[in-house]
């Protein structure tokens, strides 16, 4: 029983063999997944997928890299779509200072507006963070994001930052990097953060876990993430899979 909280099965990388990818995930025990849309095309496709597959849910928002392209009508469109009962979160949203397509001030404004929308809709948020930790934490505090909470997606920061986020009502989600031999921080986070505040994800088709690193990721590989966390915590795989699934269902309001 596994819950992959962050997949991009709406990506073109799955256009040729989506059904086979889904079958493999189901065979490995992936019970539910959240498909994440972050711009017009990927949100549209995410909405199609949740209609087609009863075990899929959607999170929809605007990616910080493309913040400069977001218009008022895009945010209004997201608000309307979010009324769908299977839209369980807003995002991914946040800040990305690695790519320079969107100026920092534009990213920050789009981030704040999405947090405000999520609070209006009473939905949790999914946070994308790349090289912007201090500003992310500041904005989450200033906007009182703890009111809705959410997910620090594919978390790569320190234990200290993880604990600060947990205090703000966020779950820490670990993906493929926790399985990388040289990934010191995610391993420390897996060990130190209580199981009741952890989630698992693939972020497929990106960030495939060892031994598939560098290849296309897919939801069936989330099992490797759960196994690694179990090993790091010195507990059973079953305990990790059950707890992270329950955590996801509580956060997303899924019965």
């Amino acid at each position: 029983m596994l819950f992959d909280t962050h997949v991009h099965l709406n990506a073109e990388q799955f256009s040729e063999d989506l059904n086979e990818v889904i079958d493999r995930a189901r065979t490995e025990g992936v019970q539910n997944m959240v498909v994440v849309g972050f711009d017009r095309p990927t949100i549209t496709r995410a909405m199609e997928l949740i209609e087609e597959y009863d075990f899929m849910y959607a999170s929809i928002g605007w990616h910080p890299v493309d913040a400069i392209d977001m218009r008022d009508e895009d945010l209004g469109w997201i608000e309307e779509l979010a009324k769908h009962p299977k839209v369980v979160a807003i995002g991914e949203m946040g800040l990305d200072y690695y790519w320079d397509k969107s100026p920092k001030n534009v990213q920050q404004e789009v981030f704040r507006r999405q947090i405000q929308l999520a609070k209006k809709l009473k939905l949790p948020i999914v946070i994308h963070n790349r090289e912007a930790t201090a500003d992310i934490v500041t904005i989450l505090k200033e906007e009182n994001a703890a009111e809705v909470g959410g997910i620090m997606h594919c978390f790569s920061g320190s234990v200290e930052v993880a604990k600060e986020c947990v205090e703000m009502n966020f779950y820490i989600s670990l993906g493929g990097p926790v399985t990388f031999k040289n990934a010191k921080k995610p391993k420390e986070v897996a060990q130190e953060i209580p199981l009741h505040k952890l989630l698992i994800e693939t972020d497929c088709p990106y960030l495939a876990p060892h031994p598939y690193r560098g290849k296309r990721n897919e939801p069936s590989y989330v099992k490797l993430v759960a196994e690694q966390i179990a090993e790091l915590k010195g507990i059973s795989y079953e305990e990790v899979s059950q707890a992270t699934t329950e955590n996801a269902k509580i956060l997303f309001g899924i019965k």
Side-chain angles (χ1 to χ4, degrees), residues 90 93 110-120 123 125 127 139-140 143-145 148:
I90 302 297
M93 64 172 82
V110 167
F111 184 21
R112 289 180 189 274
R113 292 183 69 188
Q114 290 185 89
I115 295 171
Q116 291 158 11
L117 174 61
K119 287 165 65 177
K120 179 181 176 182
L123 287 173
I125 57 179
I127 303 297
I139 289 172
L140 290 176
E143 296 293 337
N144 191 28
V148 289

Side-chain angles (χ1 to χ4, degrees), residues 62-249:
W62 208 266
H63 201 285
V65 170
D66 300 316
I68 199 165
D69 300 324
M70 197 192 82
R71 301 291 176 261
D72 289 346
E73 53 265 33
D74 296 317
L75 203 60
W77 179 63
I78 289 168
E79 181 174 356
E80 281 304 306
L81 292 179
K83 294 173 183 174
H84 191 294
K86 290 183 77 183
V87 173
V88 294
I90 302 297
E92 59 189 283
M93 64 172 82
L95 302 173
D96 191 315
Y97 293 169
Y98 178 80
W99 302 105
D100 61 359
K101 178 184 173 185
S102 296
K104 290 180 181 179
N105 64 316
V106 175
Q107 289 191 41
Q108 291 169 11
E109 176 62 21
V110 167
F111 184 21
R112 289 180 189 274
R113 292 183 69 188
Q114 290 185 89
I115 295 171
Q116 291 158 11
L117 174 61
K119 287 165 65 177
K120 179 181 176 182
L121 298 170
K122 295 181 169 56
L123 287 173
I125 57 179
V126 179
I127 303 297
H128 171 101
N129 171 23
R130 193 163 185 189
E131 299 182 6
T133 301
D135 286 352
I136 292 255
V137 170
T138 296
I139 289 172
L140 290 176
K141 288 178 177 175
E142 289 178 353
E143 296 293 337
N144 191 28
E147 186 180 309
V148 289
I151 303 175
M152 304 308 291
H153 143 64
C154 210
F155 188 80
S156 61
S158 67
V159 170
E160 291 72 28
V161 172
K163 287 179 177 177
E164 196 173 2
C165 293
V166 167
E167 287 174 9
M168 288 191 290
N169 196 24
F170 280 81
Y171 287 84
I172 305 301
S173 185
L174 297 172
V178 77
T179 69
F180 300 167
K181 288 185 174 64
N182 59 349
K184 186 183 171 197
K185 284 184 180 178
K187 292 181 191 297
E188 289 173 347
V189 167
Q191 290 171 320
E192 295 293 328
I193 298 302
L195 188 57
H196 72 275
K197 294 305 294 186
L198 288 179
L199 297 171
I200 55 175
E201 64 170 91
T202 54
D203 197 22
C204 65
Y206 317 107
L207 294 173
H210 177 79
Y212 302 103
R213 189 173 183 178
K215 298 179 180 175
R216 184 188 71 170
N217 200 1
E218 59 178 72
S220 63
Y221 298 164
V222 79
K223 184 176 185 179
L224 298 167
V225 176
E227 288 173 344
Q228 178 68 76
I229 293 170
E231 184 180 322
L232 289 164
K233 282 192 169 299
I235 58 178
S236 70
Y237 160 76
E238 289 74 21
E239 195 174 343
V240 172
S241 60
Q242 183 177 352
T244 53
T245 295
E246 286 176 3
N247 295 344
K249 287 186 173 181

Side-chain angles (χ1 to χ4, degrees), residues 3-12 14 33-50 56-64 78 86-94 114 124-128 151 153-154 173 200-206 219 252:
F3 196 131
D4 190 342
T5 60
H6 199 112
V7 304
H8 296 287
L9 292 180
N10 45 353
E12 60 185 17
F14 296 108
M33 14 184 144
V34 171
V35 185
V36 179
F38 53 81
D39 59 14
R40 284 263 175 181
T42 59
I43 289 171
T44 300
R45 181 64 178 138
M47 299 304 291
E48 291 170 357
L49 288 170
I50 63 173
M56 286 189 197
Y57 298 84
S59 178
I60 57 174
W62 208 266
H63 201 285
I78 289 168
K86 290 183 77 183
V87 173
V88 294
I90 302 297
E92 59 189 283
M93 64 172 82
Q114 290 185 89
I125 57 179
V126 179
I127 303 297
H128 171 101
I151 303 175
H153 143 64
C154 210
S173 185
I200 55 175
E201 64 170 91
T202 54
D203 197 22
C204 65
Y206 317 107
F252 295 131

